[in-house]
Amino acid sequence: MKYDIAVLAGDYIGPEVMKAALEVLAKLSDEKDSFGFHEALVGGSAIDATGKALPAETLKTAEGAHAILFGSVGGPKWEHLPPAEQPERASLLPLRKHFSLYANLRPAIIYKELKEASPLRADIVGDGLDILILRELTGDVYFGEPKLRRGEGANEEALDTMIYKRYEIERIAHLAFQSARLRRKIVHSIDKANVLTSMVFWREVVTQVAKEYPDVTLHHQYVDNAAMQLIRWPSQFDVVLCPNMFGDILSDEASQITGSIGMLASASLGEQNKWGRDGLQFGLYEPAGGTAPDIAGKGIANPIAQILSAALLLRYSLKLEDKAVRIENAVKSAIAAGARTRDLTADSAKAISTAEMTQEIVKRL
Ligand code: NAD
Ligand code: IPM
Ligand code: MN
């Protein structure tokens, strides 16, 4: 079958790491499964070219595809724009909302071959770690109604509302327990129920959903404690169920435990078959990290998060599990052979470029 992939590379390192992921996918293309890449502008580069961060044509390309492979958007070049027009808020968040991509899976895995890149002590890392951060993605303070009240001098104020509806918590909680059933059967639900009413509600609803999964152990943890526990005792975690903003923060923290933000891939999924073509599951796949303006244009960005995002696309949207595993094994094998981009090694003399890392992976596919 020929699969259509909308390719939205975005800004700064976005196109550099996207190139790597497309090389990997192209290498996996064969007579049985081939990939059509449909490139479209998004983010700051789309603003520069068309005046809009999410042009209608880009949305059309995305709607017509089996899945979206996304790079990342935003950066200093567009920070002078009014907040609502900046690339992050005017392209990525609307895309997530448009396709109802409420579930963001961020697998934080310490490969045993990469243990020395983790800042944690060897006795804490043990034989490696495998944590699934499951982040709710279309609710919370990200999508509450923001307000700005100008013109009252010292009383001027800005506010964002943290809001969750019951069904939004229920559907992500079900997914957390179902995911845990295929793993170590432990869910940590993260909240701030000691202070925030929306989080008291989150805890209440998660507890109710948990009754349907008596075989899964549920722990509640306050987000401040969770931030500390991730470093103190990361192996306690299996599935970490997070509201949108806490999941954003904890996933960056978890990524550094695995060695670098440049390793953390993600899959954003919605209701089964709502946008899916040919009975497949639509999704958007992107690195958890950003556009890394500080290293853009130097050819040194780590392409692995983007490459592993492509693997997740094959797994969850195209149901090509064998090919997803081939990518993951090629990444592990390249790492085991000592391939390190600059973010993964203290010894910069040993660091290889984005293109070299990509070749190390492609040749092992
Ligand atoms: P960032 O993740 O872009 O960078 C943080 C640090 O991590 C930097 O030092 C960067 O060099 C490093 N880093 C990130 N990815 C890397 C990679 N693949 N290889 C090597 N090093 C890497 O976070 P930031 O600096 O806070 O944000 C920069 C811009 O990216 C902002 O405009 C932000 O809003 C945007 N952003 C976009 C997305 C997205 O589109 N999905 C996600 C996060 C941040
Ligand atoms: C992420 C990013 C985005 C988020 C920003 C760029 C809107 O940080 O995907 O983690 O906060 O969700
Ligand atoms: Mn983030």
Side-chain angles (χ1 to χ4, degrees), residues 51-354:
K52 290 208 168 73
L54 183 60
E57 211 180 304
T58 299
L59 197 56
K60 223 173 108 202
T61 303
E63 285 176 344
H66 288 103
I68 305 171
L69 190 60
F70 193 92
S72 38
V73 295
K77 193 165 172 211
W78 303 283
E79 275 166 13
H80 66 280
L81 292 172
E85 289 171 31
Q86 291 180 14
E88 300 89 326
R89 279 170 68 172
S91 67
L92 182 55
L93 298 189
L95 270 174
R96 290 173 179 169
K97 201 66 175 179
H98 180 76
F99 292 107
S100 308
L101 302 170
Y102 68 86
N104 185 223
L105 286 64
R106 298 189 160 184
I109 299 169
I110 297 196
Y111 297 113
K112 60 178 187 319
E113 298 82 1
L114 202 54
K115 269 161 62 176
E116 90 285 350
S118 172
L120 298 189
R121 287 200 317 261
D123 62 306
I124 297 178
V125 172
D127 286 334
L129 293 167
D130 182 351
I131 300 172
L132 177 64
I133 307 236
L134 182 58
R135 171 187 176 196
E136 200 289 327
L137 203 61
T138 50
D140 200 344
V141 69
Y142 275 61
F143 293 97
E145 197 175 304
K147 291 193 185 67
L148 185 59
R149 286 194 269 268
R150 287 268 187 225
E152 293 166 46
N155 283 325
E156 267 193 339
E157 60 182 5
L159 59 122
D160 297 288
T161 39
M162 188 176 252
I163 179 164
Y164 264 117
K165 294 197 191 312
R166 174 177 290 278
Y167 79 89
E168 293 176 313
I169 305 171
E170 282 175 352
R171 62 187 180 181
I172 194 78
H174 279 291
L175 189 60
F177 292 111
Q178 284 159 13
S179 306
R181 273 191 171 156
L182 305 172
R183 301 168 50 100
R184 287 163 42 223
K185 298 195 173 62
I186 306 166
V187 171
H188 283 77
S189 173
I190 309 303
D191 63 42
K192 188 73 187 171
N194 49 350
V195 177
L196 304 168
T197 307
S198 57
M199 293 289 98
V200 174
F201 186 51
W202 172 277
R203 188 175 283 214
E204 176 190 312
V205 176
V206 172
T207 305
Q208 283 163 0
V209 172
K211 296 206 171 85
E212 295 178 43
Y213 303 88
D215 52 321
V216 178
T217 305
L218 169 65
H219 301 281
H220 299 284
Q221 216 167 67
Y222 296 131
V223 62
D224 46 353
N225 182 24
M228 180 277 282
Q229 295 288 348
L230 263 175
I231 288 170
R232 187 183 82 101
W233 179 24
S235 61
Q236 73 186 280
F237 296 107
D238 178 23
V239 174
V240 184
L241 167 62
C242 302
N244 200 344
M245 185 164 67
F246 299 157
D248 178 41
I249 298 165
L250 293 184
S251 57
D252 268 36
E253 183 185 350
S255 80
Q256 190 55 44
I257 293 174
T258 73
S260 166
I261 183 82
M263 298 295 294
L264 194 64
S266 89
S268 303
L269 307 174
E271 302 288 355
Q272 181 91 28
N273 295 337
K274 180 152 184 223
W275 288 96
R277 277 174 50 198
D278 304 314
L280 297 172
Q281 161 86 57
F282 189 82
L284 181 151
Y285 300 83
E286 59 170 330
T291 58
D294 54 335
I295 58 164
K298 298 183 179 164
I300 57 170
N302 185 347
I304 292 179
Q306 190 76 58
I307 290 170
L308 291 176
S309 297
L312 295 179
L313 185 155
L314 298 184
R315 168 167 301 129
Y316 291 114
S317 277
L318 309 187
K319 313 293 176 203
L320 299 174
E321 177 66 19
D322 291 357
K323 289 193 160 87
V325 170
R326 273 172 70 190
I327 297 180
E328 288 161 352
N329 285 341
V331 168
K332 279 184 214 161
S333 154
I335 286 168
R340 301 280 184 275
T341 40
R342 221 174 67 174
D343 53 313
L344 294 175
T345 174
D347 184 356
S348 60
K350 286 208 182 115
I352 60 175
S353 68
T354 309

